[in-house]
Amino acid sequence: MFEPTVIIAGAALVGLTIVASALLRAWHGWLALKREELERVKDTHDSDSGSSIGAARIELADLKERIKKLEAIASGVDL
């Protein structure tokens, strides 16, 4: 009836279809995961933008104060 070559080719085609559909489903899942991570990071940056600027200003003021103290020590002036 059917030759073994036709049966093997059909089984290979079915197997290839199953593997391709599984990989495509995994790819869509991975893309959804990455999309969710990007949205989470974007939401975090939107809500924290004001506090990070304030923290940077405080750190900059602290560094300026340290520089003044080091310059005073280098010139021999006691604070």
Side-chain angles (χ1 to χ4, degrees), residues 42-74:
K42 187 174 82 171
D43 291 340
T44 303
H45 285 315
D46 288 345
S47 64
D48 289 342
S49 63
S51 64
S52 63
I53 292 172
R57 287 182 181 169
I58 291 171
E59 187 174 345
L60 186 61
D62 184 45
L63 288 174
K64 286 180 180 180
E65 185 179 335
R66 286 183 182 181
I67 289 172
K68 286 181 183 178
K69 286 182 181 179
L70 288 173
E71 287 174 347
I73 291 171

